[in-house]
Amino acid sequence: MIVAATALQVDELTAGDWPAVSAIYADGIATRNATFETAVPSWGEWERAHMDDHRLVGSVDGEVVGWAALSRVSDRQCYRGVAEDSVYVRSGHHGRGIGRALLSALVTRAEAAGVWTIQAGVFPENLASLKLHVACGFRVVGVRERIGQLDGAWRDVVLLERRSKEIA
């Protein structure tokens, strides 16, 4: 994947990446169109919430410019192959294919590990994320109306999912 004439390097996300990852997450939180979260969690909280083998960072010239990760949707055995994705790209780096490269790599790894459904909850106003997910093979399942509040206002969430070709 080429990004602005420079190669995007996709690697496993480690604790050493957390300062850059948390800064990117904070930028996403500040938009109020990326997540219901209002503050960046600690590394320990974030690490516990995300699946060990499904955490990626994208770097250009050694600078982390994006991240993607999966979290389990349930601890129940019947949902062991269902996960939810998160994809964030640093401000100033949008529209360069970084999110697509990260999400595509995440999907490939997840399916190889037996994850059969990846879902995403996206605010309808976040058109870039909606387009990204559709471009990576997700389909819109529906809209969860007034599913949660952010800053005292009810927000809708578009539910998307991508099924493994093994069960599609």
Side-chain angles (χ1 to χ4, degrees), residues 41-54:
S42 69
W43 164 250
E45 292 167 328
W46 188 92
E47 183 182 31
R48 283 188 297 279
H50 293 86
M51 297 167 69
D52 290 341
D53 295 330
H54 304 289

Side-chain angles (χ1 to χ4, degrees), residues 3-43:
V3 178
T6 305
L8 176 72
Q9 180 69 35
V10 177
D11 295 298
E12 291 187 30
L13 188 158
T14 67
D17 298 314
W18 182 243
V21 166
S22 65
I24 294 168
Y25 196 17
D27 285 346
I29 290 170
T31 69
R32 293 305 200 247
N33 277 327
T35 179
F36 279 107
E37 297 296 333
T38 57
V40 176
S42 69
W43 164 250

Side-chain angles (χ1 to χ4, degrees), residues 23 79 96 155:
Y79 296 120
R96 299 180 186 181
R155 298 291 299 268

Side-chain angles (χ1 to χ4, degrees), residues 87-139:
V87 182
Y88 288 80
V89 175
R90 182 181 296 281
S91 295
H93 293 270
H94 298 122
R96 299 180 186 181
I98 295 166
R100 187 170 188 163
L102 286 166
L103 185 54
S104 294
L106 193 65
V107 164
T108 298
R109 291 179 120 204
E111 288 187 355
V115 175
W116 61 77
T117 300
I118 301 174
Q119 66 183 40
V122 179
F123 290 132
E125 298 83 3
N126 193 340
L127 297 178
S129 186
L130 291 171
K131 288 178 186 177
L132 167 65
H133 281 86
V134 169
C136 288
F138 286 70
R139 70 177 183 90

